[in-house]
Amino acid sequence: MTDVYKALADETRRALLDELLTREEQTLFELCTRLAMNHDLTPSRQAISQHLDVLEAADLVRTERRGRYKLHTINTAPLAEISQRWPQRKAAS
């Protein structure tokens, strides 16, 4: 679980998850383009690849190779574990 918190601590990684939530199975090139267009973030492709490695290590992103393409998909299961650990309290009456 520690890896999940570390992965979510970075703004760029959160933006990557946002983009993967809006459209799954994106390549590195697609993600770089969407970060630039939607979040005004322009890190190098190598930097984005390293961020994706951190997200994958935390099981927040899954990758699949199809031919020469590597497709990235969000995995929200670790996020559900966080909300189960600290469920929302009901308002006091």
Side-chain angles (χ1 to χ4, degrees), residues 25-29 45 49 52-53 56 61-73:
E25 295 189 340
Q26 294 187 62
T27 64
L28 176 61
F29 177 77
R45 289 177 63 171
S49 181
L52 288 168
D53 288 345
E56 191 173 4
V61 168
R62 297 207 172 128
T63 60
E64 178 185 341
R65 213 171 255 293
R66 287 195 200 145
R68 59 183 239 191
Y69 297 103
K70 190 174 181 183
L71 302 172
H72 305 278
T73 304

Side-chain angles (χ1 to χ4, degrees), residues 2 4 6 12 16-17 26 29 32 36 43-45 48 57 60-62 68 78-80 83 88:
T2 302
V4 173
K6 287 181 182 178
T12 302
L16 282 166
L17 292 175
Q26 294 187 62
F29 177 77
C32 289
S44 68
R45 289 177 63 171
I48 297 300
L60 289 166
V61 168
R62 297 207 172 128
R68 59 183 239 191
L79 300 174
S83 66
Q88 185 173 0

Side-chain angles (χ1 to χ4, degrees), residues 14-88:
R14 290 192 306 269
L16 282 166
L17 292 175
D18 290 341
E19 290 304 325
L20 288 170
L21 192 59
T22 61
R23 193 170 73 78
E24 293 188 358
E25 295 189 340
Q26 294 187 62
T27 64
L28 176 61
F29 177 77
E30 291 170 316
L31 286 166
C32 289
T33 302
R34 292 175 69 91
L35 285 179
M37 289 177 16
N38 298 336
H39 301 275
D40 201 28
L41 296 171
T42 55
S44 68
R45 289 177 63 171
Q46 182 179 7
I48 297 300
S49 181
Q50 291 171 349
H51 283 302
L52 288 168
D53 288 345
V54 171
L55 291 168
E56 191 173 4
D59 199 29
L60 289 166
V61 168
R62 297 207 172 128
T63 60
E64 178 185 341
R65 213 171 255 293
R66 287 195 200 145
R68 59 183 239 191
Y69 297 103
K70 190 174 181 183
L71 302 172
H72 305 278
T73 304
I74 191 170
N75 176 27
T76 58
L79 300 174
E81 290 176 25
I82 292 171
S83 66
Q84 290 170 358
R85 182 173 178 173
W86 292 293
Q88 185 173 0

